[in-house]
Amino acid sequence: MKLEPKSSDLGLEETNAGEVDSDAARGVEAIERVSPELPLSTHVAARRSSDASMETDLTALLDALLSSPDRQETGHDDLSPSSASRTERERKDSIIASADKGLRTPPRPKHVRRRIDGSPILPLCKMPSKTIYLLRHGFSRGQAAQNSGLDRKNDKSLRDCGLTEQGIQEARAIPNQFSVEEMSKIQIVFSSPFTRALHTALLGFPSKKIVCHFDLGEIGSKAPENTPRKMTAVMSDILGAIEERDDSCNIDVTTYQPPNWPRDSVPGVIKKEKVRKFFHWLYQARSETTIAVVCHHNVIKTALIGGEKMRPKNAEVIRCTLNSNGELLETPKTADTNR
């Protein structure tokens, strides 16, 4: 079946030869875009016929469109004239609609890995990891408050309290959890500014440089033991442990101290984010590759991927891997160094 549309049916008006050539060329390009199944020879032949009238050119292109392979497969010649005309109109409409929407499928949005609390995990770069030894402080007076008959939630005598005798012994035993090689590779120790953590770091790492970082303070509880004090008061309380150390082992409690310390009005949510940023900073800004971090129960649960279900024990070493995206993962126990 061959359609021979008239210029009046196509809505065309008579025009001069120059306009015909230009309009014919645009018509050919439009057909090429919406009907890529047409053979190249058909498009070339159509372009070469641009010196003919617009009516003849469009008639030839429509004939080629109607005789394309997908039309022949549908068996439109067996349809009535009205059905065939309606089917062809629907087909052309669908081709044009496809061209308007674009032939490419839009890209799928990238999946963003998130922690249980919804915070995103940044992409992992192909860079070497760092070794982190994560520790909770030794047994504290706050933990022993109930056995001592004290109100842990309200007793002001427990403000930023220190270690019990049990906690001191736990801290002194920390080196026994490392092999000689592991301990020799530790380049620096970062500690929370609270008395119980800094005292643990001093006793557990007597030959290492210790740096106090103020984003490692405990999270979530407003108990007196988590209320900070001036660093001069903290250092005074642990002076004995400081004097036991060699003079070459520096203790830095000022470099990262906030200007308003010990005033602490930061919400818990912000503190959690600061903990995560600390480990990202630890990878990006510090040159050390083997680091010990002495902190607290909730800090460890926040920092570790999957740490929400953990119950860290006092003065127990947790071996971790720190990736380039700040992601802190506990090292499988089967991969631990023999001690």
Side-chain angles (χ1 to χ4, degrees):
M1 179 176 65
K2 182 176 181 180
L3 296 179
E4 297 183 358
K6 297 179 181 179
S7 60
S8 59
D9 294 336
L10 294 172
L12 301 175
E13 297 178 358
E14 293 194 10
T15 182
N16 58 46
E19 293 173 338
V20 168
D21 290 346
S22 177
D23 292 340
R26 287 196 296 270
V28 171
E29 291 172 357
I31 292 296
E32 287 176 339
R33 288 197 302 270
V34 301
S35 184
E37 73 274 7
L38 292 180
L40 179 61
S41 59
T42 301
H43 297 310
V44 173
R47 286 184 180 276
R48 288 177 177 174
S49 66
S50 61
D51 57 336
S53 66
M54 176 179 274
E55 179 178 350
T56 304
D57 285 337
L58 292 178
T59 299
L61 290 169
L62 286 172
D63 286 344
L65 179 62
L66 296 176
S67 62
S68 60
D70 58 338
R71 170 183 162 75
Q72 294 174 1
E73 292 175 1
T74 58
H76 286 177
D77 288 341
D78 297 333
L79 301 175
S80 64
S82 60
S83 297
S85 177
R86 183 170 60 255
T87 302
E88 288 303 323
R89 285 199 303 271
E90 293 173 353
R91 179 176 174 276
K92 286 186 284 184
D93 289 343
S94 66
I95 291 173
I96 294 171
S98 298
D100 290 340
K101 293 179 180 179
L103 299 178
R104 294 184 179 180
T105 304
R108 296 177 62 184
K110 293 183 179 180
H111 176 67
V112 178
R113 293 190 303 155
R114 295 184 179 275
R115 300 179 176 87
I116 290 179
D117 62 3
S119 60
I121 300 174
L122 300 176
L124 181 64
C125 302
K126 294 182 179 180
M127 297 176 66
S129 60
K130 294 187 177 185
T131 299
I132 305 295
Y133 297 115
L134 204 58
L135 298 95
R136 183 187 179 189
H137 57 79
F139 193 74
S140 70
R141 289 180 54 223
Q143 290 176 276
Q146 186 174 359
N147 294 335
S148 303
L150 301 175
D151 183 358
R152 186 176 184 181
K153 294 182 178 180
N154 299 298
D155 196 315
K156 293 182 180 180
S157 68
L158 295 175
R159 178 178 178 178
D160 187 26
C161 56
L163 300 174
T164 62
E165 188 59 37
Q166 176 186 336
I168 291 174
Q169 296 306 315
E170 290 173 342
R172 291 188 185 278
I174 287 175
N176 298 334
Q177 300 181 55
F178 293 98
S179 67
V180 174
E181 182 181 5
E182 283 179 320
M183 182 60 80
S184 66
K185 288 183 177 179
I186 296 175
Q187 297 162 288
I188 193 169
V189 179
F190 281 93
S191 172
S192 156
F194 288 111
T195 303
R196 57 193 184 277
L198 188 54
H199 197 184
T200 300
L202 290 168
L203 297 175
F205 301 92
S207 62
K208 303 295 180 182
K209 177 181 179 179
I210 296 176
V211 178
C212 192
H213 201 289
F214 293 75
D215 288 342
L216 292 173
E218 182 60 304
I219 300 169
S221 172
K222 294 183 179 180
E225 64 196 273
N226 296 328
T227 303
R229 297 182 297 160
K230 292 182 178 180
M231 294 310 298
T232 51
V234 173
M235 299 292 280
S236 176
D237 283 355
I238 56 177
L239 184 60
I242 295 173
E243 291 176 342
E244 291 179 10
R245 295 167 57 85
D246 190 283
D247 292 340
S248 63
C249 301
N250 297 334
I251 305 171
D252 181 355
V253 298
T254 58
T255 299
Y256 301 107
Q257 182 173 332
N260 60 342
W261 191 265
R263 183 178 180 182
D264 183 19
S265 58
V266 180
V269 175
I270 303 300
K271 287 183 178 180
K272 286 185 177 182
E273 187 59 29
K274 284 188 173 185
V275 167
R276 298 189 187 102
K277 287 184 177 180
F278 165 79
F279 285 97
H280 192 271
W281 169 84
L282 203 58
Y283 188 98
Q284 298 292 338
R286 300 295 305 195
S287 60
E288 298 89 355
T289 58
T290 305
I291 304 166
V293 178
V294 182
C295 51
H296 303 270
H297 180 273
N298 290 331
V299 173
I300 293 173
K301 289 168 67 71
T302 299
L304 273 173
I305 300 298
E308 296 84 0
K309 298 179 181 179
M310 290 187 66
R311 294 185 64 84
K313 296 180 180 179
N314 294 106
E316 183 176 88
V317 177
I318 303 172
R319 290 167 170 78
C320 305
T321 298
L322 179 62
N323 292 326
S324 59
N325 60 353
E327 194 177 69
L328 190 66
L329 300 169
E330 184 178 4
T331 304
K333 295 187 183 302
T334 54
D336 286 354
T337 304
N338 293 327
R339 294 178 294 283

